[in-house]
Amino acid sequence: MQEQQVSFLPSLPEEKQGFLVSKSSVNYEPGHTPVEAHNDYQFDRLRPRFPNVHWPALAEVPYVDKGLFGHPGSSNLLEFATEVVDYAPKIGTEITGIKLRSLTDVQRNDLARLVATRGVVIFRGQDDFDIDAQRELGSYFGTLHKHATTSVPLQEGLEDVHVIFMEGTKDMRAMFTKPFLWHSDVTYELQPLAYTSLKLLSGPPQGGGGDTLWCSQYAAYDALSPLMQQFLEKLTALHSAKMQADGSRAFGRTVRREPIVTEHPLIRTHPVTGWKSLFFNPGFVTAIKGVPKTESDHIIGYLTEIVSTTYEAQARFQLRRNDVAIWDNRICNHTATYGFAPHRRHAVRVACHGERPVFDPAGTSQEEDYCARYGLPQINKDCTGLANYND
């Protein structure tokens, strides 16, 4: 019997293409998710605007890390949690059963310590955690940062809130390479950001894209050989706001505070954990001080590769409506993913200033600490005794 030839014509119903079609209770179309209509949108007041105002340069502000007062096991924070799951050994934790709005100060201290340890912590279903509660939590941790160029909410008086709003077909993939988009927020400030919260107000459904990736700079430091660690510990890097300011002016937007260039150590030590971390991101680091430009460019390229391709240092989460991510910008880079059109992605971010970055040679590393604490073997970094790659 001759086999029937089936012509795949997308314009014809499946019955006409020779397929046997059965009824299913599952409404599934490969690569397609339903698009939400935003009629009577409840977060219109948090849509973006770019105010035409000018602010003075930032002055140094006092900072004491609340994580120093937290319990090492976060026992107060986790008292009523129903589930706690680590995404990977080095980074990322998801907690269910806790409402951020209801945390006591003791629990907030535990939260700071946990975030300083795990890098990023996800809380699902925080419907009652509104923008006032989000700002109040951020203010507990430190002085809130006001961004010089990005959008703020339409509602007046929320200039310390950063708005992420994107819908339609435009994204940044055509403007920048993927590795370049890894960044830690505003590292050019004298006191870069510490504890940072992001609440998703509207976003793609599951399977619709719009994920965010975080990369642990503790783990990036641990990915380096001891000799490379020692070399980089002696160096500093220049972090510049100029590209961000120039881009805003090219769009005809006001730069609310003049751009600066700040020198920070390339390796810093966290005040809570005592762990050393890489303090580098491709988005804002423009040069390595004290070495020729050729070496500087190669170091930047090498560290960009470490950040963007050390997969065991990364965690990837899709935030859904009312989910909240809290991370420590001192020890995490992050990057958005695109390709979620035509869905809307709308979120609000609140962040506090941390300390001026410092390097303490007496610090340890996350890997050293975990190996000693849990009896793990030391990682081989000199390629001796290794078999061939076969995975």
Side-chain angles (χ1 to χ4, degrees), residues 349-364:
R349 190 195 77 197
V350 173
C352 72
H353 290 273
E355 75 283 1
R356 293 190 73 158
V358 296
F359 170 68
D360 181 357
T364 58

Side-chain angles (χ1 to χ4, degrees), residues 340-355:
F340 56 83
H343 298 288
R344 172 183 294 181
R345 188 169 184 270
H346 185 193
V348 282
R349 190 195 77 197
V350 173
C352 72
H353 290 273
E355 75 283 1

